[in-house]
Every structure is written in C-alpha cells, then in structure tokens.
C-alpha cells in the first residue's frame, strides 16, 4: 500500500473540503464583521451565563460578545450535523477509547487552550490567517508536540 492510502484510508478529499469550508467561514466572519472566530473564546463566553461569580468569566470582552459567539457555536454544530448527514452517510463514528480517558484528554485540551491563549483552530486558522507571530509560535509548538507524541506512541514508548 502507498503512504496516502495508509494515512487516509477513507480518502483525503473530505478533509480538504472541510478545511476549505472552515477557512472560508472564518474569513467570511472576519471580512463581514471584523470578528475573530476562535472556538476557545466561544467556549469561555458561553460559560459567562453559568459562572457569574467567577471574575474571569465576567470580563467585559466575554460578556459583551457572548450573544454572537453562541450563534457562531450553534452554526458550527449545525454545520457539522449537516456535513455528517450529507457526506458521512449518517453513520456514527465510534471509538474504543474509554470515556474516562476522553474526559481527561478533554480537560487537558481545555487547560492547554486557556494556557496557550487560544485553541489549535484559533491560532492555526484565525491567527495565522491574520499573520500573528504568536500564533505561528503556538502552531509550531502544537505540531512539534503532536509529532513527538505520535511517534512515541507508534514506537510503543508512551
């Protein structure tokens, strides 16, 4: 087998189309409104509804932007549902990873996004798209860490 079919057993075209849709959506949001559509900010602003006693979640920038960010998040979820039904054939994807490991991984991803001042998509799509040098450093760090981790797992060292 060749490398392309080994890396992408279900094909690569849907990944390319999905990436183009993400990039176009973020670019359209920025061009039409001047707003940056990073998902960790959407997550933080959504928590402003529930965590009213936490000063971090009551920052003016989060509270004042939560309305459009909630609509933005709903659009992402609905877009994913439409994509799944249309392109995925409506077949649910499953994993053999235990629920507790998914939760622990989710916690670390959330912590890393907060620590890194944004998530991978925010830095990779929005930050690089607007030529932000801190985003370039963040993306290079994310990618280097991912390469090292993937190789450690492949070699059975992790």
């Amino acid at each position: 087998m060749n490398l392309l079919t080994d890396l992408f057993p279900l094909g690569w075209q849907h990944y390319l189309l999905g990436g183009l849709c993400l990039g176009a959506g973020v670019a359209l949001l920025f061009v039409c409104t001047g707003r940056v559509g990073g998902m960790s900010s959407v997550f933080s602003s959504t928590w402003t509804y529930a965590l009213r006693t936490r000063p971090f979640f009551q920052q003016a920038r989060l509270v004042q932007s939560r309305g459009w960010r909630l609509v933005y998040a709903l659009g992402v979820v609905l877009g994913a549902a439409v994509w799944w039904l249309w392109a995925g054939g409506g077949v649910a994807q499953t994993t053999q990873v235990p629920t507790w490991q998914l939760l622990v991984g989710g916690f670390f991803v959330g912590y890393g996004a907060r620590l890194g001042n944004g998530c991978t998509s925010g830095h990779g799509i929005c930050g690089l798209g607007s030529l932000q040098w801190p985003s370039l450093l963040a993306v290079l760090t994310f990618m280097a860490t991912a390469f090292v981790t993937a190789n450690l797992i492949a070699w059975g060292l992790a």
Side-chain angles (χ1 to χ4, degrees), residues 7-84:
L7 291 175
F8 303 102
L10 301 176
W12 56 269
Q13 296 87 350
H14 60 284
Y15 295 111
L16 176 62
L17 187 56
L20 290 173
C21 287
L22 279 171
V26 167
L28 187 63
L29 176 69
F30 184 75
V31 167
C32 292
T33 67
R35 296 174 174 158
V36 177
M39 291 311 292
S40 60
S41 297
V42 169
F43 184 75
S44 295
S45 67
T46 303
W47 278 106
T48 63
Y49 289 109
L51 301 175
R52 295 177 189 266
T53 60
R54 298 285 215 213
F56 175 83
F57 292 104
Q58 295 310 309
Q59 295 177 59
R61 69 178 181 87
L62 294 176
V63 173
Q64 293 169 355
S65 68
R66 65 186 178 188
W68 77 263
R69 290 186 191 277
L70 197 55
V71 171
Y72 181 72
L74 181 63
V76 170
V77 171
L78 290 176
V82 168
W83 181 269
W84 178 64

Side-chain angles (χ1 to χ4, degrees), residues 52-141:
R52 295 177 189 266
T53 60
R54 298 285 215 213
F56 175 83
F57 292 104
Q58 295 310 309
Q59 295 177 59
R61 69 178 181 87
L62 294 176
V63 173
Q64 293 169 355
S65 68
R66 65 186 178 188
W68 77 263
R69 290 186 191 277
L70 197 55
V71 171
Y72 181 72
L74 181 63
V76 170
V77 171
L78 290 176
V82 168
W83 181 269
W84 178 64
L85 291 171
W86 174 66
V91 177
Q93 301 293 313
T94 61
T95 181
Q96 299 301 319
V97 178
T99 303
W100 73 268
Q101 286 180 347
L102 293 173
L103 292 172
V104 169
F107 171 79
F108 281 118
V109 167
Y111 179 75
R114 183 56 37 224
L115 187 66
N117 229 5
C119 59
T120 308
S121 63
H123 284 295
I125 298 170
C126 303
L128 290 181
S130 59
L131 303 176
Q132 300 292 318
W133 287 109
S135 290
L136 176 61
L137 295 175
V139 169
L140 291 174
T141 302

